[in-house]
Amino acid sequence: MRNVNFGSIYHMPWLEYRHALPDGRVCLRLKTGRGEFTRVLARITGNYEGPHFFEKAYEYEMTVAYRDEWHDYYECVFEPFDRRLKYLFVLESDEMTVKLDASGLHFGKDAREDVSEAFAFAYAYPADPMPQWARGCVGYQIFPDRFRREPAPGDKEKVEPWTSSRVQNEFRFGGNLRGVIKAVPYLKELGVTLLYSTPMFLSDTSHRYNTFDYFKIDPLLGTEDDLRELCDLLHENGMRLVMDGVFNHSGLGFAPFRDAIKKGKQSKYYNWFFFDEKMPHGYHTFGDWKYMPKLNLANPDCAKYFLKVGKYWIDKCHIDGWRLDVSPEVWPDFWRQYKKMMRQANPDSLMIAECWDDSREWLTQGDMFDSTMHYVLSRAIWSRFCRHDISLKEFDHLINRATMLYPQRTQEVLWTFLGSHDTQRIRTRAGGDVRMACASAFFQFTYLGIPIIYYGDELGMEGGDDPFCRFPMRWDDVKGNPVHEHFQKLAHIRAAVPALREGSFRTWAVEENGLYAYLRQTEEQTVLCAVNTALEPVTARMKLPEKMCTLKVLHDLYSGKTIPVEDGEIRVSLAVGEGLILQ
């Protein structure tokens, strides 16, 4: 008889535990103690199937989709016979049977199944689909001042030489939109289909997060016409553009702030900000930086202004989405208004939160953001691949918990990244070890979501914490660069394999020697990925999934080699940082 921790059994009829998919199917999830049950069923009836509701219920086998050190997360996905559902769970542990409904646990196979106490899904409306172009695509982040500079007639502002080491915020290198336009063929060849740029609006810093005018492109960067040309060129080449919206705070040069400072409470813009004599600077700020006063988006006039900003750039320059800075600190209802505006202006647009933690509050209901910057995943990758301060089992637990956080439709568009303008570069975080930087990229590109390449990471560039992660792009180091070839190969494989873009994720093998294997699956396709996460070569025999056991050989999409199958197993031999993508 197994030991069962009944307190671990949990279901919430909401968010990631119960939701409808865009195709109309319903997903149910249930958490239990790890390894405590031999069989779990979901019993489904309709709200109007009386009087004998559960006597003619549908039963669906639930399987363990995710697993951490303490819990199993069961899942079933089914086509509902009626969208007005009532349901409960039946859990078997050897000879013992437990039933869970909304009123709690009931013991025994014959325990009551009262529809009035069952979990209710009042009406399973299908979720809005994510933009098809975004599902599992490949992204690329630029920091415009440091990405590429193309001299333009009439340039007058003095800028740093491209090889300068003065990368602090006050130094500007003059990267511009003409340079980005010139780089479009490079991005296309690399396999990029989404370009994300940090702020482009008028400012006096290189990062431009202290915006002065939200309706004006910084002249050092170019013009509105340049941005429109870039967007149209990207579209012609099968790419999209996401801009950075900084609506949590402005810069000191923002006209409404200057007016509020000058006129005080007599200014019509006074309540656009949080003036407070108790604060060190007399007003609330982003962090503790005086030069970035916090905006009050609960103020209707302030909200109306920034809704106009968002719509303006979608309409005028044909941008495809917004990444919204410091999103958790902004008045939440503003994001609901912003989402409606974006869908009306461009139904195919994407809205991304900059949230460094669990983002379910902003994502899962679907009334605010589509996606987030998936720092939860990033921290797990950094811990295992870069610092090696957690075991592979601990890494797998973190990955499974991260995967459980959101519905599959959300997972497909989450922004996964190894570094950004706010963090150390991945190679530096790995102590300069290019092998582990490449292994990190291998996992990033074969996991769920949208892998975002931070400019220069595909060249093996190094850089510490902000601002030292913002050195100019090394255009002189592209040709013949093996790291570039690695990223390019991963991007092109991902584009060619639907399971890597839209498939589910399931752990397959977690070996003490550092070998990590996982499945990416759609209904039509199964791909088995394996990567060496250790600092030594690994060799092992690995059992194969049932669908692959009968094959004579498997093809590795990364190396192009074939691997013989013997008795449902293969021999895996990987150098440090190497991986296999088996189909």
Side-chain angles (χ1 to χ4, degrees):
M1 189 74 176
R2 301 165 192 250
N3 291 322
V4 174
N5 180 356
F6 295 108
S8 293
I9 302 172
Y10 178 76
H11 172 75
M12 174 175 62
W14 197 39
L15 301 177
E16 73 274 19
Y17 279 89
R18 186 217 66 195
H19 52 271
L21 282 61
D23 63 11
R25 291 178 299 162
V26 169
C27 176
L28 297 180
R29 291 171 175 172
L30 176 73
K31 181 171 72 173
T32 72
R34 179 169 174 146
E36 293 181 354
F37 291 94
T38 52
R39 190 184 187 206
V40 176
L41 301 169
R43 300 204 70 207
I44 317 294
T45 188
N47 198 37
Y48 299 95
E49 295 296 307
H52 306 295
F53 293 92
F54 280 105
E55 288 184 13
K56 53 180 179 180
Y58 291 82
E59 287 193 341
Y60 298 97
E61 290 273 353
M62 303 187 75
T63 58
V64 177
Y66 313 111
R67 170 174 276 175
D68 63 22
E69 61 269 52
W70 303 112
H71 300 107
D72 287 335
Y73 299 90
Y74 285 85
E75 180 180 280
C76 68
V77 178
F78 60 92
E79 185 74 39
F81 67 95
D82 189 324
R83 298 203 172 278
R84 304 159 298 179
L85 302 174
K86 291 278 192 169
Y87 61 95
L88 54 82
F89 301 99
V90 180
L91 302 89
E92 298 176 2
S93 180
D94 298 325
E95 299 85 19
M96 181 183 67
T97 299
V98 182
K99 297 180 182 179
L100 176 71
D101 62 17
S103 68
L105 289 172
H106 310 284
F107 293 85
K109 292 181 180 180
D110 298 324
R112 70 171 187 262
E113 297 179 350
D114 188 340
V115 72
S116 68
E117 295 183 349
F119 292 108
F121 201 159
Y123 200 95
Y125 288 100
D128 290 337
M130 294 296 181
Q132 183 59 36
W133 64 264
R135 296 174 65 193
C137 71
V138 173
Y140 191 94
Q141 179 191 352
I142 62 171
F143 190 82
D145 188 61
R146 312 286 164 81
F147 180 58
R148 184 158 181 159
R149 181 171 69 200
E150 285 293 312
D155 279 349
K156 295 180 180 179
E157 185 169 342
K158 185 178 179 181
V159 295
E160 289 291 300
W162 206 247
T163 55
S164 171
S165 61
R166 298 199 300 177
V167 294
Q168 289 81 0
N169 295 331
E170 62 268 29
F171 299 109
R172 312 231 286 186
F173 283 70
N176 55 25
L177 282 165
R178 302 312 306 174
V180 183
I181 290 169
K182 191 75 175 286
V184 168
Y186 168 82
L187 297 172
K188 184 175 183 178
E189 185 180 355
L190 182 59
V192 170
T193 51
L194 180 157
L195 179 64
Y196 155 55
S197 173
T198 54
M200 297 184 183
F201 304 128
L202 180 65
S203 173
D204 65 351
T205 64
S206 60
H207 60 65
R208 299 186 174 98
Y209 279 93
N210 59 321
T211 305
F212 289 179
D213 188 338
Y214 290 87
F215 288 98
K216 185 175 183 180
I217 299 296
D218 192 317
L220 183 61
L221 188 59
T223 66
E224 185 174 313
D225 288 340
D226 291 330
L227 178 59
R228 187 182 303 107
E229 182 181 341
L230 172 62
C231 287
D232 292 345
L233 181 61
L234 289 170
H235 293 161
E236 290 171 13
N237 285 275
M239 291 182 263
R240 311 282 177 139
L241 179 73
V242 171
M243 289 184 72
D244 206 322
V246 189
F247 307 153
N248 174 71
H249 53 273
S250 71
L252 297 178
F254 183 42
F257 184 73
R258 293 202 311 268
D259 190 85
I261 286 291
K262 180 179 180 180
K263 299 177 183 177
K265 293 183 180 179
Q266 302 306 310
S267 170
K268 66 178 182 178
Y269 301 110
Y270 185 81
N271 290 322
W272 284 33
F273 305 90
F274 294 91
F275 289 100
D276 186 343
E277 294 179 357
K278 297 188 291 294
M279 300 302 293
H281 309 301
Y283 50 84
H284 290 244
T285 61
F286 167 58
D288 192 31
W289 289 282
K290 182 179 180 179
Y291 74 106
M292 290 187 278
K294 182 172 174 59
L295 291 157
N296 177 17
L297 272 301
N299 178 281
D301 291 331
C302 185
K304 185 177 180 180
Y305 172 89
F306 283 99
L307 290 169
K308 287 182 179 178
V309 169
K311 188 175 187 299
Y312 181 89
W313 296 104
I314 293 174
D315 290 344
K316 294 292 184 180
C317 291
H318 318 140
I319 72 167
D320 302 283
W322 285 97
R323 177 265 194 193
L324 288 315
D325 196 54
V326 202
S327 50
E329 297 181 22
V330 173
W331 178 247
D333 195 55
F334 173 74
W335 295 135
R336 296 183 178 95
Q337 299 173 54
Y338 204 85
K339 178 69 170 287
K340 290 179 181 177
M341 175 278 296
M342 285 185 62
R343 284 295 189 262
Q344 290 171 359
N346 178 3
D348 217 22
S349 61
L350 193 70
M351 183 173 169
I352 304 98
E354 188 221 6
C355 180
W356 289 55
D357 301 295
D358 179 338
S359 301
R360 286 176 290 181
E361 178 180 348
W362 295 277
L363 267 64
T364 310
Q365 285 185 263
D367 59 343
M368 289 191 268
F369 294 90
D370 300 309
S371 177
T372 189
M373 299 182 73
H374 202 356
Y375 277 94
V376 174
L377 181 76
S378 301
R379 288 191 285 267
I381 293 173
W382 297 338
S383 289
R384 176 59 193 174
F385 287 88
C386 298
R387 297 192 300 268
H388 286 86
D389 57 8
I390 60 173
S391 69
L392 186 56
K393 282 187 177 181
E394 290 172 312
F395 172 74
D396 180 57
H397 298 156
L398 291 173
I399 294 301
N400 273 261
R401 283 201 291 273
T403 311
M404 173 62 192
L405 281 177
Y406 309 101
Q408 173 78 18
R409 66 182 283 274
T410 304
Q411 292 279 359
E412 290 171 359
V413 296
L414 292 182
W415 280 20
T416 69
F417 58 96
L418 305 177
S420 75
H421 65 288
D422 286 325
T423 70
Q424 292 180 30
R425 286 188 175 273
I426 186 64
R427 184 174 176 183
T428 298
R429 197 180 289 275
D433 189 341
V434 70
R435 302 170 303 174
M436 296 317 295
C438 286
S440 300
F442 181 92
F443 181 74
Q444 177 196 27
F445 273 76
T446 53
Y447 181 72
L448 294 154
I450 302 174
I452 306 289
I453 304 167
Y454 181 47
Y455 80 95
D457 278 358
E458 79 277 17
L459 306 180
M461 283 179 61
E462 292 201 59
D465 290 321
D466 169 14
F468 300 103
C469 52
R470 302 175 181 177
F471 278 89
M473 175 73 165
R474 288 290 307 276
W475 290 105
D476 60 331
D477 195 27
V478 174
K479 190 174 181 180
N481 188 316
V483 181
H484 178 273
E485 293 173 2
H486 175 67
F487 274 80
Q488 186 178 48
K489 183 179 290 188
L490 289 171
H492 285 276
I493 291 172
R494 188 178 183 87
V497 181
L500 294 179
R501 300 192 307 274
E502 301 173 10
S504 62
F505 174 93
R506 299 289 187 268
T507 298
W508 181 252
V510 183
E511 304 295 342
E512 291 184 5
N513 62 6
L515 178 65
Y516 189 54
Y518 42 97
L519 295 171
R520 299 297 311 280
Q521 293 176 294
T522 63
E523 291 185 5
E524 297 80 22
Q525 189 177 55
T526 296
V527 175
L528 175 61
C529 302
V531 61
N532 179 6
T533 70
L535 294 173
E536 298 290 339
V538 299
T539 300
R541 299 286 301 178
M542 185 169 69
K543 291 183 179 180
L544 294 174
E546 184 177 347
K547 291 182 179 180
M548 294 181 172
C549 284
T550 57
L551 300 175
K552 294 182 179 180
V553 296
L554 291 177
H555 180 63
D556 175 23
L557 299 177
Y558 185 86
S559 69
K561 298 178 181 178
T562 56
I563 299 176
V565 177
E566 299 175 0
D567 299 323
E569 295 183 343
I570 58 170
R571 183 177 184 273
V572 176
S573 183
L574 295 172
V576 176
E578 281 190 339
L580 301 168
I581 303 173
L582 302 173
Q583 190 177 5

